[in-house]
Amino acid sequence: MPNILEIVQPDDWHIHFREGDMLEMVTNYSSRINNRCVAMPNTKVPITDSNKAILYKNKINKASKDKFEPLIPCYLTESLDINDFRSGIQNKYFFGAKLYPSNATTNSKYGVRQISNIYNLFEILEEENSTLLIHGEKVSDKIDIFDREKYFIDDELQIIRKKFPLLKIVLEHVSTAYGVKYIKQNKNIAGTITPHHMLLTKRDVFISDKIDPHHFCMPVVKDESDLIELRNAACFDNTKFFLGTDSAPHPIEEKKSNANSKPGIFSAPCSIELYTQIFDQENALNNLEVFSSINGANFYNFSHNDKKIKLEKKDWIVPEFSVYKNIKVKNFYANKKINWKVIN
Ligand SMILES: [Zn+2]
């Protein structure tokens, strides 16, 4: 196997930039590698109208040094201005729309309680050939945290797909074998896969009576059997799945060893290298480019990126923290060795 790998420049179809200094730091990491990024709209004040989307896009553009295109989905709520939503989709101020079930993850308290209340918005997305991006977890006191994805698929997604058969859907950060199977078996639906869901199981998160806050994310990582299916989907069954890191930073002071910890794993400093290492472990380096740079663009009807990036097979250690201005974030894979590195 050669020591240098050259691939078409990737896109990250799911990432959190946050705001302020954090946004500047994340943009630095992300624009170093990617051409396009789907910047998730669950900021402290969520991005619910086209004005906010334009402002947010400008902020990210201002912070990036290279040519870089942030794409902002509309944060769906039950009280959106429908005319603004439609024109935002038509004028491409919005890159589709993101459905957060209420209270499923960070800043999702404004999310949707009753999905049937926003069918009129799904209708617009379907008419405009736009995309519905979904955080696919059903949240209820009666549902085990590890079963949220399955219940969402069975109780909600099935109905949405039946009612809107032409609506393009991305099930974000697929975390279960069940989700992988569902995507493979159905039309007009694809999935993003994070590096951490292919590297961790619940044993890395829940340790006796504590949690490891730096491995805690939503959807929470699952079992070995799920991890294996996610690896197979990314590395081999390679048309409906694409790169979406769900890199989601929180300052270290917001990470605690209990259930009050904010969910989210910060992989931006090493995400493409982690994906490459996973594909290498699976003997599937030849399929990396399709996953990182082709499938997502095809699904969203974008052209493939012109530029290429190079990775070299060499060991390096991921630094423990990312520090920028007054912000300190613990990196995913901190102090661990990765055997691929992007070179310029
Ligand atoms: Zn996310």
Side-chain angles (χ1 to χ4, degrees):
M1 207 64 208
N3 280 338
I4 304 276
L5 184 67
E6 193 178 48
I7 57 169
V8 169
Q9 187 180 18
D11 303 301
D12 187 345
W13 299 102
H14 185 136
I15 181 168
H16 299 267
F17 285 86
R18 311 297 192 208
E19 40 234 316
D21 294 344
M22 186 76 93
L23 176 146
E24 290 179 15
M25 185 178 85
V26 175
T27 305
N28 252 320
Y29 280 124
S30 199
S31 58
R32 153 191 92 109
I33 305 292
N34 302 290
N35 184 34
R36 293 169 287 228
C37 276
V38 175
M40 287 300 171
N42 61 333
T43 39
K44 279 183 191 132
V45 177
I47 296 165
T48 49
D49 63 51
S50 33
N51 239 342
K52 290 197 187 94
I54 293 165
L55 284 174
Y56 196 52
K57 190 174 184 134
N58 288 343
K59 274 185 197 156
I60 299 171
N61 273 329
K62 213 175 135 202
S64 67
K65 295 184 187 89
D66 308 310
K67 185 185 154 285
F68 182 63
E69 191 181 6
L71 305 158
I72 327 275
C74 179
Y75 185 114
L76 293 172
T77 75
E78 288 167 55
S79 53
L80 286 189
D81 175 339
I82 296 192
N83 292 328
D84 177 74
F85 180 72
R86 187 190 294 275
S87 77
I89 293 287
Q90 285 170 342
N91 293 305
K92 309 232 182 296
Y93 301 134
F94 293 134
F95 178 72
K98 177 80 188 273
L99 169 62
Y100 287 100
S102 180
N103 292 324
T105 189
T106 306
N107 296 340
S108 61
K109 64 181 174 204
Y110 310 98
V112 177
R113 266 162 243 280
Q114 182 67 45
I115 293 176
S116 56
N117 287 344
I118 56 162
Y119 280 171
N120 55 342
L121 305 176
F122 293 173
E123 226 170 84
I124 293 171
L125 290 171
E126 191 179 43
E127 274 166 28
E128 300 297 333
N129 199 23
S130 191
T131 310
L132 175 65
L133 291 68
I134 299 182
H135 182 113
E137 291 197 287
K138 184 165 179 176
V139 183
S140 152
D141 292 345
K142 299 190 185 81
I143 298 172
D144 188 301
I145 191 172
F146 300 107
D147 294 332
R148 286 176 173 182
E149 188 167 284
K150 179 185 182 304
Y151 275 88
F152 183 87
I153 290 170
D154 290 348
D155 295 356
E156 312 281 7
L157 189 53
Q158 290 274 41
I159 299 170
I160 298 171
R161 289 195 51 264
K162 212 167 183 181
K163 251 188 122 44
F164 304 95
L166 300 177
L167 177 59
K168 278 167 65 177
I169 294 175
V170 177
L171 189 60
E172 299 291 340
H173 39 57
V174 191
S175 67
T176 58
Y178 194 81
V180 166
K181 193 170 165 206
Y182 186 81
I183 290 168
K184 282 189 197 167
Q185 287 176 345
N186 289 285
K187 271 191 183 157
N188 295 332
I189 182 163
T192 52
I193 302 180
T194 75
H196 49 269
H197 286 99
M198 297 193 281
L199 288 164
L200 304 174
T201 67
K202 57 191 178 191
R203 292 216 310 262
D204 298 302
V205 186
F206 301 94
I207 303 146
S208 65
D209 61 341
K210 286 202 167 58
I211 63 162
D212 179 339
H214 305 291
H215 287 165
F216 180 56
C217 60
M218 289 296 170
V220 73
V221 296
K222 308 285 187 318
D223 291 310
E224 183 87 24
S225 53
D226 297 295
L227 177 148
I228 290 167
E229 278 314 304
L230 289 163
R231 281 185 170 228
N232 284 337
C235 295
F236 302 108
D237 201 350
N238 208 306
T239 55
K240 300 189 84 180
F241 299 93
F242 40 84
L243 187 156
T245 60
D246 196 15
S247 174
H250 292 288
I252 41 167
E253 58 273 16
E254 291 179 14
K255 285 290 202 176
K256 303 191 177 78
S257 311
N258 61 41
N260 292 327
S261 184
K262 293 218 170 149
I265 286 178
F266 185 52
S267 62
C270 58
S271 40
I272 190 63
E273 285 93 349
L274 282 174
Y275 281 118
T276 309
Q277 180 167 280
I278 291 165
F279 275 71
D280 195 3
Q281 287 163 355
E282 298 293 331
N283 259 323
L285 277 178
N286 286 339
N287 295 335
L288 174 67
E289 184 182 59
V290 189
F291 176 81
S292 67
S293 321
I294 305 295
N295 287 345
N298 286 353
F299 184 82
Y300 283 117
N301 289 323
F302 279 108
S303 57
H304 302 157
N305 296 325
D306 300 328
K307 280 214 285 188
K308 300 213 164 187
I309 64 160
K310 275 186 191 161
L311 292 124
E312 184 182 9
K313 189 155 190 174
K314 68 168 178 198
D315 293 346
W316 63 293
I317 307 284
V318 178
E320 186 165 14
F321 298 106
S322 291
V323 181
Y324 178 78
K325 294 187 180 170
N326 289 320
I327 289 191
K328 190 173 180 186
V329 182
K330 176 130 177 188
N331 297 327
F332 181 52
Y333 232 63
N335 297 325
K336 288 193 187 154
K337 193 167 77 182
I338 300 185
N339 63 3
W340 286 92
K341 184 93 183 90
V342 168
I343 49 171
N344 295 316

